[in-house]
Amino acid sequence: MSVTWGRPRGVDRLELSFTVDDRHSLPATVEAAAWDRARHRYVLVRNASVAWADTSDAPTLVTFDRLRTTSLRLTMTSRHPGEPKGALRISWLEVPGV
């Protein structure tokens, strides 16, 4: 999943909420990458850390070293691939600028 905005801005975190129910679970992993205009590709953010929510639709916080970019991409891995509760649903996402 990716999110893009028009002008470069400073970012050092994103907040997202996942639905957890009989068909959805928290991801096993979340990996964040930022668009690098000079290289024309996404590059993994540095020093990423995830603070997982403990209830459905509560914010999970992904923090990383501050950078300037126009886009972030998240790569997520299911905790239960191929199982009925293996789907992922993001119910809310915010990328606060700094």
Side-chain angles (χ1 to χ4, degrees), residues 12-16 32 60-62 64 72 74 93-96:
D12 63 0
R13 70 189 178 281
L14 58 95
E15 301 169 17
L16 63 164
T60 289
L61 181 63
V62 180
F64 43 86
L72 289 174
L74 297 178
L93 171 73
E94 182 174 350
V95 182

Side-chain angles (χ1 to χ4, degrees), residues 31-71:
E31 188 175 84
W35 181 252
D36 185 324
R37 289 176 33 180
R39 297 181 193 170
H40 299 284
R41 64 183 174 99
Y42 283 95
V43 177
L44 290 178
V45 298
R46 292 183 179 182
N47 297 314
S49 176
V50 179
W52 295 102
D54 56 2
T55 59
S56 182
D57 299 314
T60 289
L61 181 63
V62 180
T63 58
F64 43 86
D65 289 351
R66 184 172 185 230
L67 53 90
R68 283 187 71 73
T69 189
T70 57
S71 181

Side-chain angles (χ1 to χ4, degrees), residues 9 15 18 21-22 49 57 79 84 87 92:
R9 66 178 178 160
E15 301 169 17
F18 295 95
D21 58 21
D22 59 341
S49 176
D57 299 314
R79 286 183 191 258
W92 178 77

Side-chain angles (χ1 to χ4, degrees), residues 10-31:
V11 295
D12 63 0
R13 70 189 178 281
L14 58 95
E15 301 169 17
L16 63 164
S17 298
F18 295 95
T19 299
V20 178
D21 58 21
D22 59 341
R23 294 180 304 175
H24 305 92
S25 61
L26 288 173
T29 62
V30 173
E31 188 175 84

